[in-house]
């Protein structure tokens, strides 16, 4: 790691915050450079993660086997009921299908599956190759839907057609076809949908519980322990709450246009943002002061419990340095605040899919000298981690072993988290995990910088 | 009951794969390429595939897995990926400084008809490949074969594109490694050393995907066969290919190009396959099997006799890759167990022929299937119809093991939820001892768990 260079074409995607950075013009929302060891995924990946938690729907990956195999149950989006989403269905295209088209195979597969499982709906993901061979999956879906009487929804998620974000859009478009098809009878005025919360390790249940304690009715958790019938009637809710990842903003916007349902963007990570997520909803329903009262009660109870515990962690973690490299930039905001409440300094903040506004926001929140980076790669990450003498890296599956090799502690804030990190209890879990990793005795045997100081 | 949706009634499926017992070619090519020192695998396609392949290998090995991508966009998919690949090669040599790049295609680049050979030649003509550096390539469309064939294709590419016959024979034997774990590759080298035979093992992922913690993140760990050694394989006396699916194509390519004769053996899993491998190697090199190895064998046999009563008659369901399953099935029989359901997602006639031959005398009625619709769903249905005492397979088997309450031994690729597979060998006599230990462990744990209070015993 002596000689580290940043790819010429990437220079505009990396910034160090200092006085000269006034003309901050980060390049982002581009595809990765050819030949880079990018940490990014594809459109299909985006669609798959958003829709995956709809547990009583069939999820069929139309394409060769790999795309389905790699996304088989890799995200711990748990369900309180059906588990249909955790099976892996693939049309497993072969050479002949590629030449002659895979429509027939898809049609047959769907009939077989729907007869067997009687799902509430089916999502059909088209992968790269489908886009190329030009299968008309819309027509197949329509036909099957008519024959079987359930929504069969094409998800146009050909991997090469953009970034993961475009996959979110495709997923939202598919969901939008279900929204509005159910009866809204019995839905009260103080009602919300929770969007973009994937129920990893049961997080959606925690959030839902807070809102219910405030006297708010949760019509649908959409894509966290999601159910088709709830989504069908979700247009009856008064407000949409979109979790930070931003993956479902598009759906919220479309619902606003079509049904006049306003939306709020929130984050459930960290004390500050979690409290705000509850207060924002309460102030939206300002005609009912009881909701605000209840929100205050929830917050003061939870924070009261949490705060002394956090102080303990803070004692140990104060002044330690953290690097953040996550998927969505919005999450980085919450993480910076959460780390701040633990006394830790963020010296690197990066994301795979941030946009200009996100990075402006990051710049505003970060201290001098912090590195801000878009779509990074392992060489850069290692370089920054060493240069900045980082104590903790927060990232995803591909970043974990890099941190460990460098002798740096790690916390997964992406798919791989096994304990809930959302909500007040989540903040406790997060602090505990960070504490345990940073303070682990193992680092004494794992000298940083290859043993050089 | 995670797989509560699996029903007992087996319907003929024509079009669908449910819970696959295989994955796609490029990940195999990526894994194989990591077995050359200083190699950066490169995925010619869009980002998603590369990202998934890296993630899966990372989860399996808990090691940083490096690979670059051509990052196809819509443009590339319409106009062809030549420009992307040429730029990629240029960028990679400038920034990541590998000794070589091993390019594999994906469904996407195959479907649009990119010709890797032609593009690499173009890159060379354009001066994008620096002096002393190399680019090799293998076609790995996923709509044919599986991850196993992808591995084989990349290994064949190594032989084809590196091996040189200089006319000066070298006293060494090539061992073309089938898909094995890094500790297995290490074990092959140890056994050869014990025999006193010089070998060239390729690919060799030991010290790459089981690298020690050093406080550094290096792109190219110290392991892997070096390019000069890979070239020298063309001058070797002969080759032994391990595994007819994953190893043999490499040996065939070497024979074709450099006239190095080869023999194919099973991956040495269990007693008899290890015997055959060692005999083959000792014969090829003209050496005797040393006492130290005979002793290892003796220890394995000793364990098998000591524990025979616990193995016998136990029914086993297994799934995985063909080159693993063939010798494993044989070993299970030697332990007096009963393999009753066997599934491999990888297509190929030779699998069923081999397995059937092995089972012919004692278990001719076993359920065996590979290729399309040979998936974990079908295996589960078989188990529902005829329950087993033990399940052996990769991590995904845990769903069945839990739902049906069956003791489970993790074996094969991928293993995402346990460690050990990248530290301890499964092959050779020592590997067989480990396998037997694992099987015994779960069987006896089950016996302990289920024993009524009055028959719970200290000594078993
Ligand atoms: S099956 Fe093809 S498209 Fe899918 S991940 Fe594998 S290479 Fe990529
Ligand atoms: S083939 Fe396309 S859709 Fe499938 S993983 Fe690769 S990039 Fe994504």
């Amino acid at each position: 790691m002596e000689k580290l260079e940043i790819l010429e074409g990437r220079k505009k995607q990396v910034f160090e915050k200092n006085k000269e950075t006034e003309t901050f013009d980060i390049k982002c929302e581009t595809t990765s450079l050819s030949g880079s060891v990018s940490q990014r995924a594809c459109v299909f990946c985006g669609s798959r993660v958003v829709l995956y938690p709809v547990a009583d729907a069939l999820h069929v990956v139309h394409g060769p086997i790999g795309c389905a195999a790699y996304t088989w149950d890799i995200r711990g989006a748990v369900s309180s009921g059906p588990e249909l989403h955790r099976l892996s269905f693939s049309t497993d295209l072969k050479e002949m299908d590629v030449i002659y088209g895979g429509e027939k195979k898809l049609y047959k597969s769907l009939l077989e599956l729907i007869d067997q499982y009687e799902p509430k709906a089916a999502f059909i993901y088209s992968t790269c190759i489908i886009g190329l061979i030009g299968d008309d999956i819309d027509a197949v879906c329509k036909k099957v839907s008519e024959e079987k009487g359930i929504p069969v929804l094409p998800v146009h998620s050909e991997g090469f057609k953009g970034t993961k974000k475009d996959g979110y859009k495709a997923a939202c478009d598919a969901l939008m076809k279900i929204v509005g098809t159910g009866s809204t009878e019995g839905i009260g005025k103080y009602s919300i949908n929770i969007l973009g919360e994937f129920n990893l390790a049961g997080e959606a249940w925690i959030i839902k519980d807070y809102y219910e304690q405030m006297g708010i009715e949760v019509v649908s958790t959409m894509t966290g322990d999601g159910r088709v019938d709830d989504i069908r009637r979700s247009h009856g809710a008064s407000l949409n709450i979109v979790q930070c990842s931003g993956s479902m903003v598009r759906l919220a916007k479309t619902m606003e246009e079509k049904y006049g349902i306003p939306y709020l963007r929130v984050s459930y990570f960290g004390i500050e943002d979690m409290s705000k997520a509850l207060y924002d909803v309460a102030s939206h329903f300002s005609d009912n002061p009881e909701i605000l009262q209840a929100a205050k009660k929830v917050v003061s109870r939870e924070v009261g419990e949490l705060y002394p515990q956090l102080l303990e962690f803070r004692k140990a973690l104060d002044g330690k340095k953290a690097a953040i490299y996550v998927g969505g930039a919005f999450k980085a905001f919450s993480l910076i605040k959460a780390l701040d409440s633990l006394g830790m300094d963020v010296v690197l903040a990066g994301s795979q899919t941030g946009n200009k506004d996100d990075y402006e926001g990051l710049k505003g929140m970060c201290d001098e000298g912090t590195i801000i980076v878009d779509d990074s790669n392992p060489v850069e990450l290692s370089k920054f981690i060493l240069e900045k003498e980082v104590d903790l890296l927060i990232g995803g599956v591909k970043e974990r072993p890099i941190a460990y090799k460098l002798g740096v502690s790690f916390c997964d804030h992406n798919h791989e988290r096994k304990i809930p990190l959302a909500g007040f209890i989540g903040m406790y879990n997060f602090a505990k995990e960070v504490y345990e990793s940073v303070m682990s005795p193992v680092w004494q045997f794992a000298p940083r910088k290859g043993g050089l100081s | 009951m995670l797989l509560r949706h699996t029903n007992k009634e087996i319907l003929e499926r024509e079009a669908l794969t449910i819970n696959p017992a295989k994955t796609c070619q490029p990940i195999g090519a990526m894994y194989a390429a990591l077995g050359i020192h200083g190699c950066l695998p490169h995925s010619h396609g869009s980002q998603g595939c590369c990202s998934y392949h890296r993630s899966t290998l990372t989860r399996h090995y808990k090691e940083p897995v490096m690979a670059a991508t051509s990052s196809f966009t819509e443009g590339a998919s319409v106009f062809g990926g030549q420009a992307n690949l040429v730029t990629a090669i240029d960028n990679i040599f400038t920034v990541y400084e590998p000794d070589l790049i091993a390019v594999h295609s994906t469904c996407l680049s195959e479907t649009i008809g990119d010709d890797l050979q032609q593009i690499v030649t173009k890159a060379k003509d354009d001066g994008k490949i620096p002096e002393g550096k190399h680019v090799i390539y293998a076609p790995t469309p996923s709509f044919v074969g599986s991850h196993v064939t992808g591995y084989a294709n990349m290994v064949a590419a190594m032989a084809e594109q590196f091996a040189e016959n200089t006319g000066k024979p070298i006293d060494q034997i090539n061992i073309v490694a089938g898909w094995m774990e890094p500790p297995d590759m290490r074990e092959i080298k140890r056994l050869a050393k014990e025999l006193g035979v010089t070998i060239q093992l390729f690919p060799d992922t030991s010290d790459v995907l089981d690298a020690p913690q050093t406080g550094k993140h290096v792109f190219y760990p110290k392991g892997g066969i070096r390019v000069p050694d890979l070239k020298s394989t063309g001058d070797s006396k002969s080759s032994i290919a391990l595994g007819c699916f994953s190893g043999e194509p490499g040996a065939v390519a070497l024979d074709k190009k450099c006239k190095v004769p080869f023999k194919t053996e099973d991956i040495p899993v269990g007693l008899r396959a290890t015997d055959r491998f060692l005999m083959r190697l000792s014969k090829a090199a003209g050496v005797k099997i040393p006492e130290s190895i005979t002793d290892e064998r003796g220890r394995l046999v000793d364990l098998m006799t000591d524990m025979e009563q616990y193995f016998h008659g136990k029914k086993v369901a297994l799934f995985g890759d063909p080159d693993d399953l063939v010798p494993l099935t044989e070993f299970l029989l030697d332990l007096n167990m009963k393999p009753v359901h066997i599934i491999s997602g990888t297509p190929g006639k030779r699998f069923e022929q081999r397995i059937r031959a092995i089972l012919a005398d004692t278990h001719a009625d076993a359920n065996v299937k590979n290729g399309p619709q040979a998936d974990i769903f079908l295996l589960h249905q078989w188990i529902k119809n005829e329950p087993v005492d033990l399940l052996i397979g990769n991590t995904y088997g845990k769903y069945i093991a839990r739902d049906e309450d069956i003791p489970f031994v993790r074996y094969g690729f991928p293993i995402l939820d346990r460690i050990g597979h990248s530290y301890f060998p499964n092959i050779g006599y020592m590997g067989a001892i480990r396998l037997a230990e694992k099987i015994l462990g779960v069987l006896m744990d089950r016996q302990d768990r289920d024993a009524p209070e009055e028959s719970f015993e200290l000594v078993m």
Side-chain angles (χ1 to χ4, degrees):
Chain A
M1 279 295 122
E2 281 70 36
K3 204 170 126 256
L4 286 164
E5 279 182 47
I6 292 176
L7 270 170
E8 194 55 43
R10 284 202 32 81
K11 288 205 169 134
K12 296 203 70 135
Q13 281 167 280
V14 183
F15 268 88
E16 183 158 346
K17 180 173 169 181
N18 53 39
K19 298 206 176 58
E20 290 92 69
T21 327
E22 265 143 35
T23 50
F24 179 75
D25 179 28
I26 196 162
K27 206 171 125 210
C28 50
E29 293 193 282
T30 57
T31 48
S32 304
L33 222 55
S34 294
S36 52
V37 181
S38 164
Q39 309 287 81
R40 272 181 179 171
C42 65
V43 182
F44 166 66
C45 176
S47 299
R48 192 82 171 96
V49 296
V50 169
L51 295 174
Y52 170 75
V54 182
D56 56 355
L58 201 61
H59 300 265
V60 181
V61 181
H62 187 33
I65 198 70
C67 311
Y70 301 119
T71 50
W72 178 9
D73 209 27
I74 51 168
R75 249 189 117 119
V78 287
S79 163
S80 55
E83 303 273 8
L84 204 48
H85 66 308
R86 302 186 71 173
L87 273 69
S88 174
F89 301 108
S90 167
T91 47
D92 192 359
L93 289 194
K94 294 292 181 310
E95 202 160 15
M96 284 301 139
D97 306 316
V98 172
I99 297 168
Y100 297 110
E103 288 173 22
K104 267 203 197 115
K105 205 170 187 186
L106 176 63
Y107 174 72
K108 266 194 206 156
S109 301
L110 286 175
L111 294 190
E112 281 174 13
L113 278 170
I114 293 170
D115 286 345
Q116 193 161 6
Y117 291 112
E118 300 173 352
K120 293 280 187 180
F123 294 103
I124 317 308
Y125 304 81
S126 69
T127 57
C128 281
I129 220 170
I130 304 305
L132 279 180
I133 63 176
D135 274 7
D136 186 353
I137 67 162
D138 290 9
V140 177
C141 289
K142 192 158 169 254
K143 191 165 168 210
V144 176
S145 182
E146 276 161 12
E147 282 173 35
K148 294 290 165 191
I150 60 162
V152 180
L153 304 159
V155 186
H156 291 284
S157 51
E158 293 84 354
F160 61 85
K161 286 195 170 156
T163 66
K164 205 168 164 182
K165 273 189 168 175
D166 300 285
Y168 299 155
K169 281 189 208 151
C172 290
D173 292 347
L175 282 174
M176 197 57 205
K177 290 190 185 130
I178 312 184
V179 172
T181 57
S183 157
T184 58
E185 222 182 278
I187 298 176
K189 186 177 165 198
Y190 305 110
S191 55
I192 59 170
N193 297 309
I194 298 175
L195 276 61
E197 163 47 64
F198 301 115
N199 203 32
L200 305 184
E203 290 178 336
W205 298 330
I206 296 172
I207 306 302
K208 196 175 164 189
D209 185 49
Y210 293 149
Y211 285 125
E212 283 173 353
Q213 287 183 49
M214 288 160 56
I216 304 265
E217 178 187 352
V218 178
V219 179
S220 166
T221 45
M222 265 322 160
T223 58
D225 196 12
R227 296 291 182 278
V228 173
D229 284 343
D230 295 342
I231 300 170
R232 280 175 179 277
R233 63 199 288 268
S234 60
H235 61 300
S238 307
L239 179 66
N240 278 333
I241 314 294
V242 189
Q243 150 85 338
C244 65
S245 72
S247 55
M248 296 188 72
V249 173
R250 182 181 172 100
L251 182 69
K253 280 189 179 154
T254 325
M255 285 178 77
E256 185 170 38
E257 279 160 28
K258 196 161 172 194
Y259 300 105
I261 305 169
Y263 72 92
L264 280 176
R265 282 191 81 174
V266 300
S267 161
Y268 304 126
F269 297 115
I271 303 182
E272 210 181 317
D273 286 351
M274 184 62 235
S275 309
K276 191 166 180 300
L278 301 184
Y279 287 141
D280 283 355
V281 173
S283 45
H284 179 83
F285 296 119
S286 56
D287 61 328
N288 183 348
E290 273 174 34
I291 292 181
L292 184 61
Q293 282 310 315
K296 280 185 180 156
K297 222 170 108 193
V298 172
V299 172
S300 72
R301 185 194 65 217
E302 296 284 333
V303 174
E305 241 169 66
L306 180 60
Y307 204 67
Q309 296 170 319
L310 287 189
L311 283 181
E312 284 303 304
F313 294 127
R314 191 184 166 119
K315 255 188 235 158
L317 296 172
D318 200 39
K320 302 264 188 214
K321 294 183 200 164
I324 300 173
Y325 187 69
V326 286
F330 212 87
K331 181 150 65 191
F333 297 153
S334 293
L335 283 171
I336 292 173
K337 288 183 227 166
L339 289 164
D340 186 55
S341 65
L342 295 173
M344 296 180 74
D345 302 323
V346 173
V347 292
L348 165 77
S351 101
Q352 291 170 22
T353 55
N355 61 30
K356 278 224 158 76
D357 290 347
D358 294 333
Y359 289 117
E360 274 298 333
L362 276 184
K363 188 188 137 204
M365 288 177 75
C366 290
D367 295 332
E368 291 281 294
T370 301
I371 291 169
I372 296 170
V373 57
D374 177 61
D375 183 25
S376 198
N377 59 53
V379 176
E380 287 173 11
L381 284 178
S382 309
K383 171 184 153 84
F384 300 142
I385 287 169
L386 290 182
E387 277 176 8
K388 295 284 173 186
E389 304 192 351
V390 163
D391 298 290
L392 170 77
L393 174 65
I394 298 183
V397 56
K398 293 193 285 298
E399 286 79 47
R400 181 190 289 271
I402 295 176
Y404 291 159
K405 277 282 183 283
L406 293 168
V408 168
S409 69
F410 184 82
C411 171
D412 193 309
H413 214 286
N414 281 340
H415 307 343
E416 223 97 317
R417 56 183 187 260
K418 301 298 170 224
I419 45 162
L421 300 180
F424 298 103
I425 175 74
M427 179 62 203
Y428 171 77
N429 293 336
F430 173 67
K432 184 163 172 275
E433 189 171 333
V434 167
Y435 169 85
E436 282 170 356
S437 190
V438 172
M439 305 307 288
S440 168
V442 78
W443 306 122
Q444 68 186 305
F445 307 111
R448 291 182 192 163
K449 298 182 181 178
L452 313 168
S453 57
Chain B
M1 289 292 282
L2 209 53
L3 300 185
R4 73 190 69 165
H5 308 284
T6 307
N7 41 9
K8 213 169 159 180
E9 189 199 350
I10 301 174
L11 296 171
E12 197 56 47
R13 274 180 281 141
E14 280 179 64
L16 185 72
T17 296
I18 310 177
N19 301 343
K22 64 170 175 186
T23 184
C24 65
Q25 288 214 54
I27 197 169
M30 191 182 278
Y31 176 57
L34 290 166
I36 310 177
H37 180 74
C39 177
L40 188 68
H42 180 85
S43 164
H44 186 49
S46 39
Q47 286 176 8
C49 313
C50 184
S51 171
Y52 282 131
H53 304 149
R54 285 178 59 211
S55 292
T56 305
L57 289 172
T58 301
R59 288 187 173 107
H60 180 82
Y61 290 109
K62 319 282 179 227
E63 289 288 310
V65 172
M66 295 303 139
T69 161
S70 290
S71 292
F72 270 31
T73 54
E74 209 143 4
S77 318
V78 177
F79 302 115
Q82 171 163 321
N84 288 55
L85 185 50
V86 175
T87 313
I89 289 172
D90 195 23
N91 275 337
I92 290 169
F93 279 125
T94 316
V95 181
Y96 302 112
E97 299 183 323
D99 294 337
L100 76 147
I101 302 172
V103 184
H104 59 261
S105 56
T106 59
C107 300
L108 189 54
S109 51
E110 284 290 332
T111 310
I112 60 178
D114 277 357
D115 179 349
L116 292 183
Q117 180 178 4
Q118 174 258 319
I119 301 177
V120 170
T121 311
K122 166 124 178 60
K124 195 170 234 158
D125 293 345
D126 292 356
K128 304 286 187 198
I129 305 176
E131 203 43 47
K133 307 263 178 168
H134 311 270
V135 178
I136 63 169
Y137 49 84
T140 51
S142 293
F143 38 82
V144 283
S146 74
H147 58 292
V148 178
T149 33
Y151 176 93
N153 287 349
M154 185 51 84
V155 177
M158 291 174 195
E160 253 158 39
Q161 293 161 57
F162 275 124
E164 284 170 8
N165 188 335
T166 62
K168 288 186 216 118
I170 307 175
D171 189 13
Q172 62 182 13
I173 311 288
N174 302 323
I175 297 188
V176 187
W179 189 319
M180 288 183 272
E181 297 287 349
D184 297 333
M185 311 252 188
R186 197 185 301 287
E187 182 69 357
I188 296 275
K189 289 189 286 187
R190 184 186 72 88
L191 289 169
K193 205 167 174 184
E194 206 81 356
L195 255 72
V197 180
T198 308
I199 60 165
Q200 290 300 345
L201 174 74
F202 73 95
D204 176 8
T205 55
S206 63
D207 285 318
V208 178
L209 287 163
D210 58 355
Q213 210 283 354
T214 55
K216 288 187 201 168
H217 167 224
V218 289
F219 253 55
Y220 311 107
K222 65 182 171 191
I225 184 167
R226 313 245 155 189
V227 170
D229 291 334
L230 201 44
K231 286 187 176 165
S232 82
T233 56
D235 290 328
S236 298
K237 283 206 307 204
S238 63
S239 306
I240 301 172
L242 296 178
C244 68
F245 281 82
S246 53
E248 191 176 277
V252 171
L254 203 52
D255 187 17
K256 239 192 205 156
K257 185 173 179 195
C258 301
K259 303 279 166 300
V260 183
F262 74 93
K263 287 278 191 257
T264 304
E265 293 291 349
D266 288 319
I267 291 178
V269 173
L271 177 67
R272 280 191 282 166
T274 303
D275 285 352
R276 289 194 298 267
F277 165 67
L278 289 170
M279 292 308 288
R280 175 70 63 198
L281 185 58
S282 71
K283 209 170 134 202
V287 296
K288 274 218 181 89
I289 308 254
E291 192 182 330
S292 60
I293 291 188
T294 314
D295 286 351
E296 281 176 26
R297 183 180 195 275
R299 280 190 285 274
L300 169 62
V301 175
D302 191 55
L303 179 149
M304 289 165 68
T305 52
D306 287 349
M307 292 292 141
E308 151 291 315
Q309 55 170 324
Y310 292 98
F311 290 115
H312 81 223
K314 292 280 191 292
K315 286 187 184 174
V316 193
L318 51 158
F319 68 96
D321 298 336
D323 291 337
D324 280 343
L325 292 185
V326 167
L328 178 63
T329 302
E330 189 185 44
F331 185 46
L332 293 175
L333 290 176
D334 290 340
L335 291 170
N336 204 8
M337 299 179 88
K338 289 185 175 171
V340 290
H341 311 303
I342 305 174
I343 284 275
S344 176
T346 297
K349 280 201 191 81
R350 281 160 89 184
F351 176 70
E352 225 187 300
Q353 288 165 358
R354 283 296 310 282
I355 291 275
R356 290 278 174 214
I358 290 171
L359 294 170
D361 293 340
T362 46
H363 299 89
D365 54 347
N367 288 315
V368 181
K369 190 173 163 104
N370 72 320
Q373 279 84 52
D375 48 33
I376 298 175
F377 184 83
L378 176 65
L379 182 71
H380 193 183
Q381 290 184 309
W382 281 347
I383 292 172
K384 278 185 183 290
N385 286 289
E386 184 182 355
V388 293
D389 304 298
L390 174 70
L391 175 66
I392 303 180
N394 68 29
T395 285
Y396 292 106
K398 74 193 275 181
Y399 298 115
I400 300 179
R402 178 185 164 97
D403 286 353
E404 306 296 331
D405 197 18
I406 308 170
F408 175 40
V409 168
R410 283 168 181 75
Y411 175 86
F413 175 86
I415 294 173
L416 310 170
D417 61 341
R418 291 291 189 278
I419 55 152
H421 53 278
S422 49
Y423 298 94
F424 305 107
N426 273 320
I427 63 144
Y429 302 123
M430 295 312 290
I433 289 176
R434 175 172 178 247
L435 263 175
E437 182 216 1
K438 286 177 83 171
I439 293 172
L440 260 178
V442 297
L443 292 177
M444 289 181 151
D445 284 350
R446 173 56 50 94
Q447 190 173 329
D448 275 342
R449 191 195 84 178
D450 293 346
E453 195 70 33
E454 62 276 15
S455 48
F456 183 74
E457 286 185 277
L458 177 71
V459 181
M460 291 170 93

